[in-house]
Amino acid sequence: MPQVAFQRDASDPAPGSRPTISIIVEHDSHVPAVEAIIALLYGVRGLLTQLEQPQLMHVLQYADMMQLDLVAQEAVQLLVLAAKAEPGLSESVLNILRRHTWSNSMQCMQPLLPALVDSVGYDLEAVWETERTSRLLQLPLAAIKLLLSSNELRVYNEDTVMYTAARYVTAQPKKQQKKASKQLSLLIR
């Protein structure tokens, strides 16, 4: 699990001394993301545009832990552009979204939700007949709510929406099922 720690150097008691930031990365593949964040903190721009989708997700993870909302917003914008340029968001992006426990302050992720929904598609009948089923079940709750409430949603009848909501809820960890059930039940017409 990646960690970020802020601490003041006890050997330098001078007022106004700078804090030390310790960043422990989960894997070597996260290093480019952390380097891009540090570069941004020092005013060096452009490194984020060189990162692939999974690395941008790592930027989001670390920006979330360090509460760097502007860095997170820039990473989300680049992910949205990448999703439009490539055939949607990669499977690894969905896996990172699923595994990381996001802070409540991550409102900057809202622009990413349509790209997540697009990666699954609006034809629920077709989703259940393809490999996109696993993608649908891995969507964050906000994305599945966006999908099920969309005017673009294509279903034969509301039974498919109920089936989708029920399958989604049962696929979630136990501690999240009640919240998901309550929020998705409001979308059934």
Side-chain angles (χ1 to χ4, degrees), residues 9-189:
D9 186 356
S11 66
D12 186 5
S17 63
R18 294 182 179 210
T20 302
I21 300 174
S22 300
I23 303 171
I24 301 171
V25 295
E26 185 175 300
H27 190 270
D28 289 345
S29 64
H30 296 198
V31 171
V34 173
E35 289 174 342
I37 290 172
I38 293 169
L40 274 173
L41 293 175
Y42 281 100
V44 178
R45 306 202 54 82
L47 286 181
L48 284 183
T49 60
Q50 299 172 17
L51 300 178
E52 301 289 326
Q53 286 186 24
Q55 293 168 321
L56 286 170
M57 286 304 300
H58 297 310
V59 168
L60 263 175
Q61 282 180 287
Y62 289 95
D64 179 44
M65 288 185 285
M66 292 187 269
Q67 298 177 356
L68 299 171
D69 292 337
L70 293 176
V71 173
Q73 287 173 9
E74 192 166 333
V76 166
Q77 289 172 354
L78 290 169
L79 277 165
V80 169
L81 290 173
K84 290 177 181 173
E86 298 173 25
L89 293 169
S90 69
E91 196 69 36
S92 57
V93 166
L94 294 173
N95 289 334
I96 293 167
L97 274 169
R98 180 88 168 155
R99 286 192 325 250
H100 184 70
T101 304
W102 301 95
S103 73
N104 292 332
S105 65
M106 287 300 287
Q107 293 301 317
C108 66
M109 300 245 331
Q110 292 298 324
L112 192 55
L113 296 180
L116 290 169
V117 172
D118 288 345
S119 73
V120 171
Y122 291 89
D123 184 350
L124 284 185
E125 310 288 342
V127 167
W128 291 113
E129 297 171 1
T130 66
E131 70 282 345
R132 290 181 290 164
T133 300
S134 65
R135 276 186 170 229
L136 178 119
L137 297 175
Q138 291 181 17
L139 289 175
L141 180 58
I144 195 79
K145 285 171 50 180
L146 179 67
L147 172 64
L148 296 181
S149 65
S150 172
N151 290 334
E152 296 178 46
L153 188 65
R154 293 185 300 277
V155 293
Y156 181 70
N157 59 40
E158 282 298 306
D159 290 347
T160 306
V161 176
M162 284 190 346
Y163 175 77
T164 301
R167 284 281 308 272
Y168 180 84
V169 168
T170 57
Q172 303 313 300
K174 289 279 186 211
K175 62 183 179 181
Q176 296 173 358
Q177 286 182 356
K178 187 175 182 178
K179 177 183 177 182
S181 178
K182 183 177 181 178
Q183 291 187 22
L184 294 180
S185 67
L186 298 174
L187 302 175
I188 309 297
R189 301 174 197 151

